[in-house]
Amino acid sequence: MTHPSLGLPPSSLTTGFPEAADRLRTQGRRLATRAVEVAANEDPTYADRIGEAGLRNLLEDARVFIDRLALCVAGDDSHWLREFADQTATVYRRRGISLDDVIKLFEGIRASVRSVLTAEELAPADAALDASIEVFRFHRRLAGDARKRNPIIAAIYKGG
């Protein structure tokens, strides 16, 4: 992370692939729809667990994530998506959506942007998606994530 007060140059949105970022932004709705479809096709229980309202929310969230991914591709820096993922992890916990499901959404975004980006432009996109998935995996291990618990561990904690 660059910081001007430390003598480092500020982040630039032209060091990467600004044209590719424009393509991501203009086709954001189509890519977000495809990402949710890929995530739902990967797991047959995905749509049932999240519900129709949750899928609509994930569709809008995917558009925002794709906008952040466009910043990462334009600046060749994964900071924008990684930090945004760190800030939104608690929102999914509050909504009762497992971070594993959000990770599936990110894998759907990875699959959908392959139709828009070239192989060279995919490198910063993959790096940003990988960094964000690592953030979600870190937050997934914290208590309160809406995922299936080990029944033996749950019985031990209940005390009976």
Side-chain angles (χ1 to χ4, degrees):
M1 173 74 192
T2 60
H3 199 282
S5 67
L6 298 176
L8 300 172
S11 298
S12 173
L13 293 178
T14 59
T15 58
F17 304 97
E19 301 85 20
D22 291 338
R23 288 196 309 270
L24 284 173
R25 285 186 197 101
T26 57
Q27 297 186 21
R29 181 167 294 282
R30 182 184 66 82
L31 295 173
T33 304
R34 181 67 186 137
V36 172
E37 288 173 358
V38 168
N41 288 339
E42 181 183 321
D43 184 7
T45 63
Y46 192 80
D48 295 333
R49 279 185 283 124
I50 295 176
E52 177 137 359
L55 285 175
R56 281 195 304 269
N57 285 337
L58 280 181
L59 179 63
E60 291 304 314
D61 293 346
R63 291 191 66 207
V64 174
F65 286 132
I66 289 171
D67 285 341
R68 288 292 177 146
L69 182 63
L71 290 173
C72 295
V73 170
D76 196 14
D77 184 8
S78 63
H79 166 75
W80 288 284
L81 187 59
R82 183 184 65 240
E83 293 301 316
F84 192 67
D86 188 39
Q87 295 166 4
T88 57
T90 56
V91 173
Y92 291 109
R93 182 167 289 133
R94 191 172 347 147
R95 286 184 193 171
I97 296 176
S98 168
L99 292 179
D100 289 332
D101 292 336
V102 180
I103 290 171
K104 288 177 187 171
L105 176 66
F106 269 58
E107 292 298 337
I109 290 173
R110 183 188 315 264
S112 67
V113 300
R114 293 197 185 286
S115 65
V116 176
L117 302 177
T118 65
E120 188 177 80
E121 297 164 347
L122 276 173
D126 283 338
L129 289 169
D130 288 338
S132 301
I133 287 172
E134 285 304 313
V135 167
F136 284 133
R137 284 194 178 131
F138 172 79
H139 285 287
R140 176 182 70 181
R141 68 188 181 101
L142 300 175
D145 191 16
R147 67 175 186 265
K148 188 174 179 168
R149 304 281 185 220
N150 183 331
I152 296 170
I153 302 287
I156 290 171
Y157 281 116
K158 281 185 180 178

